[in-house]
Amino acid sequence: MSDMMKAVTASGAGGPEVLDVVSLPRPTPGPGQVLVRVHAAGINRPDVMQREGNYPPPPGASDILGLEMAGVVEELGEGASRFAVGDRVMALVPSGGYSEWCAVHETNALPVPEGLSMVEAGAIPETFFTVWSNVFQRAGLKKGETILLHGGTSGIGTTTILLAKALGSRVIVTCGSDEKCEAAKANGADVAINYKTSDFVEEAKKATDGNGPHVILDMVGGDYMQRNIEAVAIDGRIAQIAFQKPPKAELNMLQLLTKRLTWTGSTLRARPVEMKAELAAALEEHVLPLLAKGIAKPVIDSTYPLDDVRGAHARMDSGGHVGKIVLTMTDDAA
C-alpha cells in the first residue's frame, strides 16, 4: 500500500480551473475511524462553494474537497469495530471525499446494500443525510402531505422526490426549463413548475386546491423567502438549506403569525460526529431498506474520472445536470 495518494485541492478561489489533482500522504485512521479505499465520490453544491472561496472546511478538516464517498474498508483505527476489512461502505465526511483514500468515523458510515453500485453509493450520503434531516426530521413531512421543493433536478431535488414519494407524500417541484420539468416528472414528481414562465406561488396553490404545500424545501433564498411564506399552507413548515440568491431580503412576517408557520434552517458539514451518527442510524433504519429493494436509488447524471475533476465541476456549473455527478477513482466503480 503506497504512502501517497491522489487527491483534489483548490489552488485558489475561482472556477473549475483552480482544481488540481495532487499527491498527498495517505491518511491514517484515528480512534473509532476506518480507512476507506475510495471508489466513487459525489459532487455537491457545497463543493462548488468551497472552490469559489465561500465555504471553507470546518476547523480540523483537510483542504481536500468532497463531502461524501463510497469504497472498501482497508484498515481499522483503534477501537473501530462496526465494520470489517473488505466491507463496502458509503460515508458522509467533512472533507476528503475527492481522494483515493479517506478516513471517516465508523458511525458516519453506512453499509452499501447489495445491488447498489459504488457510483450509486457515492452519490447517496450528502444529499440523503441532508434531505432526511431537513425534510423528515426538522420539517416533519408526513405521509399524505405535499412538499414543494425548488430545484427539482438537482441532487437534493431528485433525492427529495424519491424519498418523499417512497414514503407516501405528494411532490411539487420548480425547474428552470420545460425539459427539466419533464425530467422531474419522469423521476416521480407529481407537478413540475417552470419558474421562468409561471408564478410558482400561484401554481403551487392551484395544485393544492388553494391551500398551499405543507412543506417547502428551499435552497434559493433572496426573494423566494417571501414567496415561500405566501405559498405555504396554514401550519406549514419551510426548511432553508442554502442560499443561491442573497440571504438578505425585505420580508413581511405577518403571515408567520397568521398561518402559524415554522421556518427552520440548518447546515450539515460542521455538525459534530455524534449528531451525524444519529442521522446515519435513522437512514439505516428507514432508508437502507428502500435502497436494498431498489426503491429510491439515486439518479446519476454522469461520471468523471478523478483526473477530470475540472470537467465534472464544469458540468455542475453548467446547470444542465439531472441528478448527481460522480467522480470515480477505480475502473470498476460503476
Side-chain angles (χ1 to χ4, degrees):
M1 186 188 301
S2 171
D3 290 335
M4 304 298 288
M5 67 174 185
K6 287 183 179 180
V8 176
T9 60
S11 59
E17 71 279 357
V18 306
L19 298 176
D20 296 312
V21 180
V22 299
S23 181
L24 293 174
R26 175 173 52 82
T28 300
Q33 291 187 328
V34 294
L35 180 64
V36 177
R37 171 72 169 94
V38 181
H39 287 223
I43 292 177
N44 296 282
R45 186 62 57 184
D47 303 339
V48 174
M49 294 169 61
Q50 179 174 337
R51 187 199 76 206
E52 294 171 339
N54 297 321
Y55 196 34
S62 77
D63 291 332
I64 300 170
L65 278 78
L67 303 180
E68 62 183 348
M69 56 81 184
V72 176
V73 175
E74 297 286 352
E75 186 179 339
L76 305 180
E78 180 185 354
S81 60
R82 174 167 159 76
F83 299 102
V85 171
D87 284 352
R88 299 198 314 155
V89 298
M90 51 189 176
L92 185 71
V93 291
S95 65
Y98 294 12
S99 61
E100 293 181 308
W101 298 89
C102 186
V104 61
H105 199 279
E106 64 176 359
T107 61
N108 290 185
L110 292 166
V112 177
E114 290 294 327
L116 210 64
S117 72
M118 284 298 193
V119 164
E120 291 170 323
I124 286 174
E126 169 65 14
T127 51
F128 278 63
F129 274 66
T130 297
V131 169
W132 191 264
S133 173
N134 288 280
V135 172
F136 296 98
Q137 291 186 336
R138 300 181 70 84
L141 182 67
K142 300 177 183 66
K143 182 178 181 179
E145 290 188 328
T146 298
I147 181 172
L148 165 66
L149 67 100
H150 298 299
T153 55
S154 67
I156 291 290
T158 54
T159 300
T160 303
I161 294 171
L162 292 171
L163 290 180
K165 292 299 295 181
L167 296 172
S169 297
R170 188 163 179 259
V171 180
I172 304 171
V173 303
T174 64
C175 302
S177 70
D178 290 342
E179 292 75 17
K180 285 198 168 188
C181 284
E182 289 305 313
K185 287 194 285 188
N187 189 39
D190 296 285
V191 178
I193 302 164
N194 184 338
Y195 64 81
K196 293 183 178 179
T197 58
S198 301
D199 179 354
F200 78 76
V201 176
E202 180 181 334
E203 294 300 319
K205 284 185 172 291
K206 187 184 300 182
T208 53
D209 298 323
N211 297 315
H214 302 91
V215 171
I216 295 179
L217 180 65
D218 183 37
M219 59 195 85
V220 181
D223 62 332
Y224 270 45
M225 291 189 283
Q226 180 63 48
R227 298 170 73 193
N228 289 335
I229 292 172
E230 295 167 1
V232 74
I234 291 173
D235 291 315
R237 292 88 71 195
I238 301 169
Q240 195 78 43
I241 60 169
F243 294 98
Q244 293 174 9
K245 292 186 176 185
K248 296 181 180 180
E250 184 173 334
L251 302 175
N252 180 347
M253 301 296 285
L254 179 61
Q255 286 186 316
L256 190 73
L257 307 181
T258 58
K259 284 187 171 184
R260 303 184 297 277
L261 304 182
T262 299
W263 194 351
T264 180
S266 72
T267 59
L268 185 58
R269 186 180 194 181
R271 296 168 87 173
V273 165
E274 295 78 10
M275 176 270 160
K276 293 175 184 175
E278 292 176 2
L279 265 179
L283 287 174
E284 187 159 13
E285 178 182 355
H286 299 288
V287 177
L288 286 196
L290 300 177
L291 292 169
K293 295 174 183 176
I295 303 170
K297 280 192 175 184
V299 176
I300 306 299
D301 174 82
S302 50
T303 63
Y304 291 77
L306 182 66
D307 287 335
D308 192 20
V309 64
R310 293 180 179 181
H313 268 244
R315 173 65 176 166
M316 174 72 85
D317 287 357
S318 76
H321 60 289
V322 176
K324 294 295 289 282
I325 303 165
V326 180
L327 292 174
T328 58
M329 290 66 166
T330 62
D331 293 336
D332 61 349

